[in-house]
């Protein structure tokens, strides 16, 4: 029997794919989100308040600002249209808004 994931058809955040290409920039450079994936995707086992989410997202944005994969992450996020999380320093809603403006 095969195990099915409840995440079928959801874009995978770079924090969960960092050891695979195209996120691997060079031998020693990994996306910053690898070191604390929940910072960018939200907690798995707990519910956070709006204030907690806003604080977490602010820190995630700061981490993204210095990431070696920032541009690749942004291009990927614009292509896959995520529904949640921080991608290249932007929320999913901000990415959707930007995509709508450019279209």
């Amino acid at each position: 029997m095969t195990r099915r994931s409840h995440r079928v058809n959801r874009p995978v955040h770079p924090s969960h794919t960092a050891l695979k290409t195209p996120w691997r920039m060079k031998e020693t450079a990994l996306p910053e989100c690898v070191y604390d994936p929940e910072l960018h995707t939200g907690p798995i086992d707990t519910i956070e308040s709006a204030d907690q989410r806003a604080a977490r997202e602010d820190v995630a944005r700061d981490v993204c600002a210095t990431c070696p994969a920032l541009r690749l992450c942004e291009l990927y996020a614009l292509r896959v249209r995520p529904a949640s999380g921080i991608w290249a320093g932007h929320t999913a809603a901000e990415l959707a808004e930007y995509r709508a403006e450019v279209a």
Side-chain angles (χ1 to χ4, degrees):
M1 175 167 30
T2 60
R3 185 175 160 194
R4 289 191 163 208
S5 172
H6 67 282
R7 293 183 155 184
V8 174
N9 295 327
R10 282 187 69 195
V12 178
H13 192 274
S15 63
H16 300 290
T17 63
L19 299 178
K20 301 174 186 172
T21 54
W23 302 112
R24 189 118 184 162
M25 299 292 290
K26 56 185 176 182
E27 248 352 91
T28 58
L30 292 173
E32 297 296 323
C33 54
V34 168
Y35 305 107
D36 187 3
E38 287 188 7
L39 178 64
H40 294 78
T41 60
I44 295 170
D45 298 331
T46 59
I47 297 172
E48 61 186 354
S49 69
D51 288 342
Q52 290 170 326
R53 184 180 67 245
R56 176 183 53 78
E57 288 176 347
D58 284 345
V59 173
R61 289 173 196 270
D62 290 343
V63 170
C64 287
T66 61
C67 181
L70 179 67
R71 185 67 179 138
L72 288 174
C73 182
E74 183 177 56
L75 293 171
Y76 177 69
L78 288 170
R79 184 171 46 92
V80 298
R81 303 176 187 196
S84 63
I86 297 294
W87 300 69
H90 305 286
T91 65
E94 291 168 344
L95 290 165
E97 184 178 310
Y98 173 75
R99 225 178 134 76
E101 287 176 3
V102 189

